Amino acid sequence: MPKALWIAHVEVTDPDAYARYAEGAGPAIAEHGGKFIARAARYVTLEGMDRARHVVAVFPSLEAAETCYRSAAYQAALDHARGASVRDLVVVELVDDATL
């Protein structure tokens, strides 16, 4: 089964509330096999809307990433991000020959 990338583009509007999201989201992501491979690192926007924060996590599968998102632990963390950020989140399955 191919791995999947969880890719978030975020503009934080309330840093304190968003910090509470991050405190809960990290453990929830790890619990579902997710591992951060890029987070708040240098970036260049070549097309589209610029957001100040970009996060990429790799999961064992697309299903694991979606299960994480729908889990009670992640949803509890996400409650802190609602109203504290503008976010786009997508999960993309890797092609069979991609290695990470």
Side-chain angles (χ1 to χ4, degrees):
M1 182 174 295
K3 292 180 181 180
L5 297 178
W6 164 302
I7 305 168
H9 306 287
V10 184
E11 189 69 40
V12 176
T13 57
D14 181 341
D16 293 334
Y18 201 80
R20 290 190 294 278
Y21 156 76
E23 288 174 12
I29 288 168
E31 181 179 321
H32 290 88
K35 177 183 172 187
F36 292 105
I37 59 173
R39 180 171 45 183
R42 290 175 23 147
Y43 71 93
V44 175
T45 298
L46 299 175
E47 293 186 23
M49 178 178 283
D50 185 37
R51 301 272 168 106
R53 185 172 176 87
H54 307 278
V55 178
V56 180
V58 62
F59 279 82
S61 66
L62 187 134
E63 291 78 13
E66 187 175 2
T67 298
C68 173
Y69 181 84
R70 299 186 190 292
S71 71
Y74 186 79
Q75 288 297 308
L78 190 56
D79 282 343
H80 297 290
R82 292 184 178 110
S85 62
V86 178
R87 300 164 24 105
D88 296 308
L89 176 64
V90 63
V91 177
V92 179
E93 192 170 68
L94 293 175
V95 294
D96 289 334
D97 62 350
T99 58
L100 286 178

